[in-house]
Amino acid sequence: MYEIAVIGYGGMGSYHTEQLLTLPEEFHLAGIYDIKPARIEAARNKGIRGFDTLEELLAEPSVRTVIIAVPNNFHKELSIKALRAGKNVICEKPVMMCAAELEEVIAVSKEAGRQFTVHQNRRWDRDFLIVKKAIEDGTLGKPFYIESRVQGSKGIPGDWRCVKEAGGGMLLDWGVHLIDQIMWLVKSPVKEVYAHLLSVKFPEVDDNFKLLLRFENGLSALVEVDTYTFINLPRWHVSGDAGTLQIDSFGCEGKIVRAKTSEMHWEAGIVYTVAGPTRTMAPRPQETIEEIALPEVQTDARDYYRNFRDADLGKAELIVKPEEALRVMRVIDAVFESARTHTCIAVDI
């Protein structure tokens, strides 16, 4: 039985415990620790072991791996402490506050000979895997532009997420997920980063942002997070030279429209549309395109834990590698610099 304990029993800590408790034949939830005694008592009321101190948890010999689910500014300190105590570490996202912090933690994990990674669980999201499959299958031809966004209208929760010192803001909250997905999808270095970070309601942190990435292979990607949008745009919009994919929401409603032929011979004359006369933007003849359903995919977010365990035991390759997390953090560093200087930042990440 693979023993895992959780540090921090708030929203994400509770999520991890609930996920692990659904896999009783594979994992044993060794217990939790939280800085708030009331949270420890809440775990005990559910039959979960509550450690009275962090030191007690880290000294427990049966615990092989710890999950760190605390505010972002404590990730580095707790990760290093756990690694040096001989534990493997799964750290909640964003893995650290900046790339330099992550470099330090990766070095400690290598010195300690322990496995370290970040909880980038949205690589198992169904909408993302649909996009991944459509691109890998060649359904869209060669992709050249990807839009990925999440939008809401309720603003940021009034907790540490709106405090700069605690690592708040949407770039570090949702942005790390969307950037990680794009960079796992596009096997090419990032060469340029340009970003707008907006503080609509919270002056300390970004509550809306738009980020444009240009990759060495010529593909461009728009990553967007909004918390004050009342009419949502599609979750995904992917343009390829043979077709276009759209996914409307996390519910995965959407479609693919693609060309039936690789070449089109357009009429030379002007076409009259509702918008007026045009040649370039005239509708494509219906007989030259086809609409197909999105591909089917199967996914289970709990495979994240299974892969971590199997990699730790030498039975599989770790899917979410710390070096990939480091690339994401370097992009985020560049995003903050672009927003600060109002310029496009040249990178090689």
Side-chain angles (χ1 to χ4, degrees), residues 257-311:
V257 178
R258 64 181 182 179
K260 286 185 178 179
T261 58
S262 59
E263 294 184 9
M264 263 300 301
H265 299 288
W266 298 99
E267 296 180 4
I270 292 177
V271 176
Y272 289 87
T273 70
V274 174
T278 180
R279 290 181 178 177
T280 306
M281 295 303 166
R284 190 180 180 109
Q286 284 296 311
E287 65 271 16
T288 70
I289 59 175
E290 61 179 351
E291 181 177 318
I292 62 174
L294 298 170
E296 291 292 331
V297 298
Q298 299 297 322
T299 186
D300 184 348
R302 299 174 302 176
D303 285 342
Y304 175 91
Y305 306 102
R306 295 184 177 109
N307 172 257
F308 184 92
R309 173 201 61 197
D310 292 346

Short mmCIF file of all heavy atoms in Angstrom, two decimals, residues 257-311:
data_model
loop_
_atom_site.label_atom_id
_atom_site.label_comp_id
_atom_site.label_asym_id
_atom_site.label_seq_id
_atom_site.Cartn_x
_atom_site.Cartn_y
_atom_site.Cartn_z
N VAL A 257 -14.71 21.78 -37.90
CA VAL A 257 -15.04 22.04 -39.30
C VAL A 257 -13.74 22.01 -40.08
O VAL A 257 -12.77 22.70 -39.71
CB VAL A 257 -15.75 23.40 -39.48
CG1 VAL A 257 -16.04 23.65 -40.95
CG2 VAL A 257 -17.05 23.43 -38.68
N ARG A 258 -13.71 21.21 -41.11
CA ARG A 258 -12.47 21.08 -41.88
C ARG A 258 -12.74 21.06 -43.38
O ARG A 258 -13.86 20.81 -43.82
CB ARG A 258 -11.70 19.84 -41.46
CG ARG A 258 -12.40 18.54 -41.75
CD ARG A 258 -11.58 17.37 -41.27
NE ARG A 258 -12.22 16.09 -41.58
CZ ARG A 258 -11.71 14.92 -41.30
NH1 ARG A 258 -10.54 14.84 -40.67
NH2 ARG A 258 -12.35 13.81 -41.62
N ALA A 259 -11.69 21.32 -44.15
CA ALA A 259 -11.80 21.35 -45.61
C ALA A 259 -11.83 19.94 -46.16
O ALA A 259 -11.12 19.05 -45.68
CB ALA A 259 -10.62 22.12 -46.19
N LYS A 260 -12.67 19.73 -47.17
CA LYS A 260 -12.70 18.44 -47.85
C LYS A 260 -11.55 18.30 -48.84
O LYS A 260 -11.09 17.20 -49.12
CB LYS A 260 -14.03 18.27 -48.60
CG LYS A 260 -15.22 17.99 -47.71
CD LYS A 260 -16.45 17.74 -48.57
CE LYS A 260 -17.66 17.41 -47.72
NZ LYS A 260 -18.87 17.17 -48.56
N THR A 261 -11.09 19.43 -49.37
CA THR A 261 -10.00 19.43 -50.33
C THR A 261 -8.90 20.36 -49.85
O THR A 261 -9.15 21.32 -49.13
CB THR A 261 -10.48 19.90 -51.72
OG1 THR A 261 -11.04 21.21 -51.59
CG2 THR A 261 -11.54 18.95 -52.27
N SER A 262 -7.68 20.08 -50.25
CA SER A 262 -6.55 20.88 -49.79
C SER A 262 -6.42 22.18 -50.56
O SER A 262 -5.79 23.13 -50.08
CB SER A 262 -5.25 20.07 -49.92
OG SER A 262 -5.05 19.68 -51.27
N GLU A 263 -7.00 22.26 -51.75
CA GLU A 263 -6.89 23.47 -52.56
C GLU A 263 -8.28 23.94 -52.97
O GLU A 263 -9.19 23.15 -53.20
CB GLU A 263 -6.04 23.22 -53.81
CG GLU A 263 -4.58 22.91 -53.49
CD GLU A 263 -3.76 22.78 -54.76
OE1 GLU A 263 -4.29 23.10 -55.84
OE2 GLU A 263 -2.60 22.37 -54.65
N MET A 264 -8.44 25.24 -53.10
CA MET A 264 -9.70 25.84 -53.53
C MET A 264 -9.42 26.84 -54.64
O MET A 264 -8.49 27.63 -54.56
CB MET A 264 -10.38 26.55 -52.37
CG MET A 264 -11.45 25.73 -51.66
SD MET A 264 -12.80 25.25 -52.74
CE MET A 264 -13.39 26.84 -53.28
N HIS A 265 -10.23 26.77 -55.67
CA HIS A 265 -10.14 27.76 -56.75
C HIS A 265 -11.34 28.69 -56.60
O HIS A 265 -12.48 28.33 -56.93
CB HIS A 265 -10.14 27.06 -58.11
CG HIS A 265 -8.97 26.14 -58.28
ND1 HIS A 265 -7.69 26.60 -58.46
CD2 HIS A 265 -8.90 24.79 -58.26
CE1 HIS A 265 -6.86 25.56 -58.57
NE2 HIS A 265 -7.57 24.45 -58.45
N TRP A 266 -11.08 29.89 -56.07
CA TRP A 266 -12.15 30.83 -55.78
C TRP A 266 -12.59 31.56 -57.06
O TRP A 266 -11.81 31.76 -57.98
CB TRP A 266 -11.70 31.86 -54.75
CG TRP A 266 -11.34 31.24 -53.44
CD1 TRP A 266 -10.11 30.93 -52.98
CD2 TRP A 266 -12.25 30.84 -52.42
NE1 TRP A 266 -10.18 30.36 -51.75
CE2 TRP A 266 -11.49 30.29 -51.37
CE3 TRP A 266 -13.65 30.88 -52.31
CZ2 TRP A 266 -12.08 29.79 -50.22
CZ3 TRP A 266 -14.22 30.39 -51.15
CH2 TRP A 266 -13.44 29.85 -50.11
N GLU A 267 -13.85 31.96 -57.04
CA GLU A 267 -14.35 32.79 -58.14
C GLU A 267 -13.62 34.13 -58.14
O GLU A 267 -13.37 34.71 -57.09
CB GLU A 267 -15.86 33.03 -57.98
CG GLU A 267 -16.69 31.76 -58.06
CD GLU A 267 -18.17 32.05 -57.89
OE1 GLU A 267 -18.52 33.26 -57.80
OE2 GLU A 267 -18.95 31.10 -57.83
N ALA A 268 -13.33 34.60 -59.32
CA ALA A 268 -12.56 35.84 -59.43
C ALA A 268 -13.38 37.07 -59.04
O ALA A 268 -12.83 38.08 -58.61
CB ALA A 268 -12.04 36.00 -60.85
N GLY A 269 -14.68 37.00 -59.18
CA GLY A 269 -15.49 38.18 -58.95
C GLY A 269 -15.74 38.47 -57.48
O GLY A 269 -15.48 37.64 -56.61
N ILE A 270 -16.28 39.65 -57.21
CA ILE A 270 -16.63 40.07 -55.86
C ILE A 270 -17.90 39.35 -55.44
O ILE A 270 -18.84 39.19 -56.21
CB ILE A 270 -16.81 41.59 -55.80
CG1 ILE A 270 -15.46 42.28 -56.00
CG2 ILE A 270 -17.43 42.02 -54.46
CD1 ILE A 270 -15.55 43.79 -56.03
N VAL A 271 -17.94 38.93 -54.17
CA VAL A 271 -19.13 38.30 -53.60
C VAL A 271 -19.80 39.31 -52.69
O VAL A 271 -19.14 39.98 -51.88
CB VAL A 271 -18.75 37.02 -52.81
CG1 VAL A 271 -20.00 36.42 -52.15
CG2 VAL A 271 -18.09 36.00 -53.73
N TYR A 272 -21.14 39.42 -52.80
CA TYR A 272 -21.88 40.38 -52.00
C TYR A 272 -22.47 39.67 -50.77
O TYR A 272 -23.22 38.71 -50.90
CB TYR A 272 -22.96 41.05 -52.83
CG TYR A 272 -22.38 42.01 -53.86
CD1 TYR A 272 -21.98 41.53 -55.10
CD2 TYR A 272 -22.17 43.34 -53.55
CE1 TYR A 272 -21.42 42.39 -56.03
CE2 TYR A 272 -21.61 44.20 -54.47
CZ TYR A 272 -21.22 43.72 -55.70
OH TYR A 272 -20.64 44.58 -56.62
N THR A 273 -22.07 40.14 -49.60
CA THR A 273 -22.52 39.55 -48.35
C THR A 273 -23.30 40.58 -47.55
O THR A 273 -23.42 41.75 -47.96
CB THR A 273 -21.31 39.07 -47.50
OG1 THR A 273 -20.60 40.23 -47.03
CG2 THR A 273 -20.39 38.20 -48.31
N VAL A 274 -23.83 40.18 -46.38
CA VAL A 274 -24.52 41.11 -45.49
C VAL A 274 -23.62 42.27 -45.11
O VAL A 274 -24.05 43.41 -44.91
CB VAL A 274 -25.03 40.37 -44.24
CG1 VAL A 274 -25.64 41.36 -43.24
CG2 VAL A 274 -26.05 39.31 -44.63
N ALA A 275 -22.31 41.97 -44.99
CA ALA A 275 -21.34 43.00 -44.60
C ALA A 275 -20.89 43.86 -45.78
O ALA A 275 -20.10 44.78 -45.61
CB ALA A 275 -20.12 42.34 -43.96
N GLY A 276 -21.39 43.54 -46.98
CA GLY A 276 -20.99 44.30 -48.14
C GLY A 276 -20.16 43.46 -49.09
O GLY A 276 -19.96 42.26 -48.89
N PRO A 277 -19.61 44.07 -50.16
CA PRO A 277 -18.83 43.32 -51.14
C PRO A 277 -17.48 42.90 -50.59
O PRO A 277 -16.82 43.66 -49.89
CB PRO A 277 -18.68 44.32 -52.29
CG PRO A 277 -18.79 45.66 -51.63
CD PRO A 277 -19.75 45.48 -50.50
N THR A 278 -17.08 41.67 -50.89
CA THR A 278 -15.79 41.17 -50.42
C THR A 278 -15.36 39.99 -51.27
O THR A 278 -16.18 39.28 -51.83
CB THR A 278 -15.85 40.76 -48.95
OG1 THR A 278 -14.55 40.28 -48.53
CG2 THR A 278 -16.86 39.65 -48.72
N ARG A 279 -14.07 39.80 -51.32
CA ARG A 279 -13.52 38.59 -51.93
C ARG A 279 -12.92 37.69 -50.84
O ARG A 279 -13.22 36.52 -50.75
CB ARG A 279 -12.45 38.94 -52.97
CG ARG A 279 -13.00 39.60 -54.23
CD ARG A 279 -11.90 39.91 -55.22
NE ARG A 279 -12.44 40.50 -56.44
CZ ARG A 279 -11.68 40.92 -57.45
NH1 ARG A 279 -10.37 40.82 -57.38
NH2 ARG A 279 -12.25 41.45 -58.53
N THR A 280 -12.10 38.30 -50.00
CA THR A 280 -11.35 37.51 -49.00
C THR A 280 -12.27 36.85 -47.99
O THR A 280 -12.07 35.69 -47.62
CB THR A 280 -10.36 38.43 -48.26
OG1 THR A 280 -9.55 39.09 -49.21
CG2 THR A 280 -9.49 37.61 -47.32
N MET A 281 -13.28 37.55 -47.49
CA MET A 281 -14.08 37.05 -46.39
C MET A 281 -15.42 36.45 -46.84
O MET A 281 -16.31 36.24 -46.03
CB MET A 281 -14.33 38.16 -45.37
CG MET A 281 -13.06 38.62 -44.69
SD MET A 281 -12.17 37.26 -43.89
CE MET A 281 -10.58 38.03 -43.59
N ALA A 282 -15.57 36.19 -48.12
CA ALA A 282 -16.79 35.55 -48.59
C ALA A 282 -16.88 34.14 -48.02
O ALA A 282 -15.86 33.47 -47.82
CB ALA A 282 -16.78 35.49 -50.11
N PRO A 283 -18.10 33.66 -47.72
CA PRO A 283 -18.23 32.31 -47.17
C PRO A 283 -17.67 31.26 -48.11
O PRO A 283 -17.82 31.36 -49.33
CB PRO A 283 -19.74 32.15 -46.99
CG PRO A 283 -20.29 33.53 -46.98
CD PRO A 283 -19.39 34.34 -47.85
N ARG A 284 -17.05 30.27 -47.54
CA ARG A 284 -16.54 29.16 -48.34
C ARG A 284 -17.72 28.31 -48.82
O ARG A 284 -18.67 28.08 -48.06
CB ARG A 284 -15.61 28.32 -47.49
CG ARG A 284 -14.82 27.27 -48.24
CD ARG A 284 -13.93 26.49 -47.28
NE ARG A 284 -13.16 25.48 -47.99
CZ ARG A 284 -11.84 25.53 -48.21
NH1 ARG A 284 -11.16 26.56 -47.74
NH2 ARG A 284 -11.22 24.59 -48.86
N PRO A 285 -17.71 27.85 -50.04
CA PRO A 285 -18.81 27.00 -50.53
C PRO A 285 -19.01 25.77 -49.64
O PRO A 285 -18.04 25.12 -49.24
CB PRO A 285 -18.34 26.60 -51.94
CG PRO A 285 -17.41 27.69 -52.34
CD PRO A 285 -16.72 28.13 -51.10
N GLN A 286 -20.27 25.47 -49.30
CA GLN A 286 -20.57 24.40 -48.37
C GLN A 286 -20.06 23.04 -48.84
O GLN A 286 -19.70 22.18 -48.01
CB GLN A 286 -22.08 24.33 -48.13
CG GLN A 286 -22.61 25.42 -47.22
CD GLN A 286 -22.05 25.31 -45.80
OE1 GLN A 286 -22.05 24.25 -45.19
NE2 GLN A 286 -21.54 26.43 -45.29
N GLU A 287 -20.02 22.83 -50.13
CA GLU A 287 -19.57 21.53 -50.62
C GLU A 287 -18.08 21.28 -50.42
O GLU A 287 -17.58 20.16 -50.61
CB GLU A 287 -19.92 21.36 -52.10
CG GLU A 287 -19.21 22.33 -53.05
CD GLU A 287 -19.96 23.64 -53.27
OE1 GLU A 287 -20.87 23.93 -52.46
OE2 GLU A 287 -19.63 24.35 -54.23
N THR A 288 -17.35 22.33 -50.00
CA THR A 288 -15.90 22.18 -49.82
C THR A 288 -15.50 21.92 -48.37
O THR A 288 -14.33 21.77 -48.08
CB THR A 288 -15.18 23.45 -50.30
OG1 THR A 288 -15.46 24.54 -49.40
CG2 THR A 288 -15.59 23.82 -51.71
N ILE A 289 -16.48 21.91 -47.43
CA ILE A 289 -16.17 21.71 -46.02
C ILE A 289 -17.04 20.61 -45.43
O ILE A 289 -18.05 20.21 -46.02
CB ILE A 289 -16.36 23.00 -45.20
CG1 ILE A 289 -17.80 23.51 -45.31
CG2 ILE A 289 -15.37 24.06 -45.62
CD1 ILE A 289 -18.11 24.70 -44.45
N GLU A 290 -16.64 20.10 -44.29
CA GLU A 290 -17.43 19.12 -43.57
C GLU A 290 -17.33 19.40 -42.07
O GLU A 290 -16.30 19.87 -41.58
CB GLU A 290 -16.95 17.70 -43.86
CG GLU A 290 -15.51 17.43 -43.46
CD GLU A 290 -15.08 16.01 -43.75
OE1 GLU A 290 -15.94 15.19 -44.10
OE2 GLU A 290 -13.87 15.72 -43.62
N GLU A 291 -18.40 19.11 -41.36
CA GLU A 291 -18.42 19.25 -39.91
C GLU A 291 -18.40 17.86 -39.29
O GLU A 291 -19.19 16.99 -39.66
CB GLU A 291 -19.67 19.99 -39.46
CG GLU A 291 -19.75 20.20 -37.96
CD GLU A 291 -20.95 21.01 -37.53
OE1 GLU A 291 -21.25 22.02 -38.21
OE2 GLU A 291 -21.60 20.64 -36.51
N ILE A 292 -17.48 17.65 -38.35
CA ILE A 292 -17.37 16.36 -37.69
C ILE A 292 -17.39 16.56 -36.17
O ILE A 292 -17.14 17.65 -35.67
CB ILE A 292 -16.08 15.59 -38.10
CG1 ILE A 292 -14.84 16.38 -37.69
CG2 ILE A 292 -16.07 15.33 -39.60
CD1 ILE A 292 -13.53 15.62 -37.92
N ALA A 293 -17.70 15.49 -35.48
CA ALA A 293 -17.77 15.55 -34.02
C ALA A 293 -16.38 15.59 -33.42
O ALA A 293 -15.39 15.16 -34.03
CB ALA A 293 -18.54 14.34 -33.49
N LEU A 294 -16.31 16.11 -32.22
CA LEU A 294 -15.05 16.08 -31.48
C LEU A 294 -14.66 14.63 -31.19
O LEU A 294 -15.54 13.78 -30.99
CB LEU A 294 -15.18 16.84 -30.16
CG LEU A 294 -15.52 18.33 -30.26
CD1 LEU A 294 -15.85 18.89 -28.88
CD2 LEU A 294 -14.35 19.10 -30.87
N PRO A 295 -13.37 14.32 -31.15
CA PRO A 295 -12.96 12.94 -30.86
C PRO A 295 -13.33 12.54 -29.43
O PRO A 295 -13.41 13.38 -28.54
CB PRO A 295 -11.45 12.97 -31.06
CG PRO A 295 -11.06 14.40 -30.90
CD PRO A 295 -12.22 15.20 -31.40
N GLU A 296 -13.54 11.26 -29.24
CA GLU A 296 -13.84 10.72 -27.92
C GLU A 296 -12.53 10.42 -27.17
O GLU A 296 -11.59 9.90 -27.77
CB GLU A 296 -14.67 9.45 -28.03
CG GLU A 296 -16.09 9.68 -28.54
CD GLU A 296 -16.94 10.46 -27.55
OE1 GLU A 296 -16.69 10.34 -26.33
OE2 GLU A 296 -17.86 11.17 -27.98
N VAL A 297 -12.50 10.76 -25.90
CA VAL A 297 -11.35 10.43 -25.06
C VAL A 297 -11.85 9.91 -23.72
O VAL A 297 -12.95 10.25 -23.29
CB VAL A 297 -10.42 11.64 -24.83
CG1 VAL A 297 -9.83 12.14 -26.14
CG2 VAL A 297 -11.17 12.77 -24.12
N GLN A 298 -11.04 9.10 -23.07
CA GLN A 298 -11.34 8.60 -21.73
C GLN A 298 -10.27 9.13 -20.79
O GLN A 298 -9.08 9.11 -21.13
CB GLN A 298 -11.35 7.07 -21.72
CG GLN A 298 -12.40 6.46 -22.62
CD GLN A 298 -13.83 6.81 -22.22
OE1 GLN A 298 -14.14 6.88 -21.03
NE2 GLN A 298 -14.69 7.03 -23.20
N THR A 299 -10.68 9.60 -19.62
CA THR A 299 -9.69 10.16 -18.70
C THR A 299 -10.13 9.96 -17.26
O THR A 299 -11.33 9.84 -16.98
CB THR A 299 -9.47 11.66 -19.00
OG1 THR A 299 -8.42 12.16 -18.18
CG2 THR A 299 -10.74 12.47 -18.74
N ASP A 300 -9.16 9.91 -16.38
CA ASP A 300 -9.39 9.77 -14.95
C ASP A 300 -8.33 10.59 -14.24
O ASP A 300 -7.14 10.26 -14.30
CB ASP A 300 -9.31 8.29 -14.53
CG ASP A 300 -9.64 8.06 -13.06
OD1 ASP A 300 -9.71 9.05 -12.29
OD2 ASP A 300 -9.80 6.89 -12.67
N ALA A 301 -8.73 11.68 -13.56
CA ALA A 301 -7.78 12.57 -12.91
C ALA A 301 -6.95 11.85 -11.85
O ALA A 301 -5.85 12.28 -11.51
CB ALA A 301 -8.51 13.76 -12.28
N ARG A 302 -7.46 10.73 -11.33
CA ARG A 302 -6.72 9.98 -10.32
C ARG A 302 -5.50 9.27 -10.90
O ARG A 302 -4.64 8.80 -10.15
CB ARG A 302 -7.65 8.98 -9.64
CG ARG A 302 -8.83 9.63 -8.92
CD ARG A 302 -9.80 8.61 -8.39
NE ARG A 302 -10.31 7.76 -9.46
CZ ARG A 302 -11.13 6.73 -9.28
NH1 ARG A 302 -11.54 6.43 -8.06
NH2 ARG A 302 -11.55 6.01 -10.30
N ASP A 303 -5.42 9.22 -12.23
CA ASP A 303 -4.23 8.64 -12.85
C ASP A 303 -2.99 9.45 -12.53
O ASP A 303 -1.86 8.95 -12.64
CB ASP A 303 -4.41 8.54 -14.36
CG ASP A 303 -5.34 7.40 -14.76
OD1 ASP A 303 -5.57 6.50 -13.93
OD2 ASP A 303 -5.85 7.42 -15.90
N TYR A 304 -3.18 10.71 -12.14
CA TYR A 304 -2.04 11.53 -11.70
C TYR A 304 -1.33 10.84 -10.54
O TYR A 304 -0.10 10.69 -10.55
CB TYR A 304 -2.50 12.92 -11.29
CG TYR A 304 -1.37 13.75 -10.72
CD1 TYR A 304 -0.61 14.57 -11.54
CD2 TYR A 304 -1.01 13.69 -9.37
CE1 TYR A 304 0.44 15.32 -11.04
CE2 TYR A 304 0.05 14.42 -8.86
CZ TYR A 304 0.76 15.23 -9.70
OH TYR A 304 1.83 15.95 -9.20
N TYR A 305 -2.07 10.43 -9.52
CA TYR A 305 -1.47 9.79 -8.34
C TYR A 305 -0.87 8.44 -8.72
O TYR A 305 0.22 8.07 -8.24
CB TYR A 305 -2.53 9.58 -7.25
CG TYR A 305 -3.28 10.82 -6.86
CD1 TYR A 305 -4.57 11.05 -7.34
CD2 TYR A 305 -2.72 11.78 -6.01
CE1 TYR A 305 -5.27 12.19 -6.98
CE2 TYR A 305 -3.42 12.92 -5.65
CZ TYR A 305 -4.70 13.12 -6.14
OH TYR A 305 -5.39 14.24 -5.79
N ARG A 306 -1.56 7.71 -9.58
CA ARG A 306 -1.05 6.40 -10.00
C ARG A 306 0.29 6.54 -10.72
O ARG A 306 1.22 5.77 -10.50
CB ARG A 306 -2.07 5.71 -10.90
CG ARG A 306 -3.40 5.35 -10.21
CD ARG A 306 -4.29 4.60 -11.17
NE ARG A 306 -5.53 4.17 -10.53
CZ ARG A 306 -6.73 4.70 -10.81
NH1 ARG A 306 -6.84 5.70 -11.69
NH2 ARG A 306 -7.82 4.25 -10.20
N ASN A 307 0.38 7.55 -11.60
CA ASN A 307 1.64 7.75 -12.32
C ASN A 307 2.76 8.15 -11.38
O ASN A 307 3.90 7.67 -11.52
CB ASN A 307 1.46 8.80 -13.42
CG ASN A 307 2.77 9.18 -14.07
OD1 ASN A 307 3.35 10.23 -13.81
ND2 ASN A 307 3.28 8.30 -14.92
N PHE A 308 2.46 9.04 -10.42
CA PHE A 308 3.49 9.45 -9.46
C PHE A 308 4.01 8.25 -8.68
O PHE A 308 5.21 8.07 -8.52
CB PHE A 308 2.93 10.50 -8.49
CG PHE A 308 3.97 11.05 -7.54
CD1 PHE A 308 4.68 12.19 -7.86
CD2 PHE A 308 4.25 10.41 -6.34
CE1 PHE A 308 5.64 12.70 -7.00
CE2 PHE A 308 5.21 10.91 -5.47
CZ PHE A 308 5.91 12.05 -5.80
N ARG A 309 3.09 7.42 -8.21
CA ARG A 309 3.48 6.22 -7.47
C ARG A 309 4.32 5.29 -8.34
O ARG A 309 5.38 4.82 -7.91
CB ARG A 309 2.22 5.48 -7.00
CG ARG A 309 2.47 4.12 -6.37
CD ARG A 309 1.23 3.25 -6.41
NE ARG A 309 0.80 3.02 -7.79
CZ ARG A 309 -0.41 2.58 -8.13
NH1 ARG A 309 -1.32 2.35 -7.19
NH2 ARG A 309 -0.72 2.38 -9.41
N ASP A 310 3.86 5.01 -9.55
CA ASP A 310 4.57 4.07 -10.42
C ASP A 310 5.95 4.59 -10.78
O ASP A 310 6.92 3.82 -10.87
CB ASP A 310 3.75 3.81 -11.68
CG ASP A 310 2.47 3.03 -11.39
OD1 ASP A 310 2.34 2.49 -10.28
OD2 ASP A 310 1.59 2.98 -12.29
N ALA A 311 6.07 5.91 -11.00
CA ALA A 311 7.39 6.49 -11.29
C ALA A 311 8.31 6.38 -10.08
O ALA A 311 9.50 6.08 -10.22
CB ALA A 311 7.24 7.95 -11.71
#
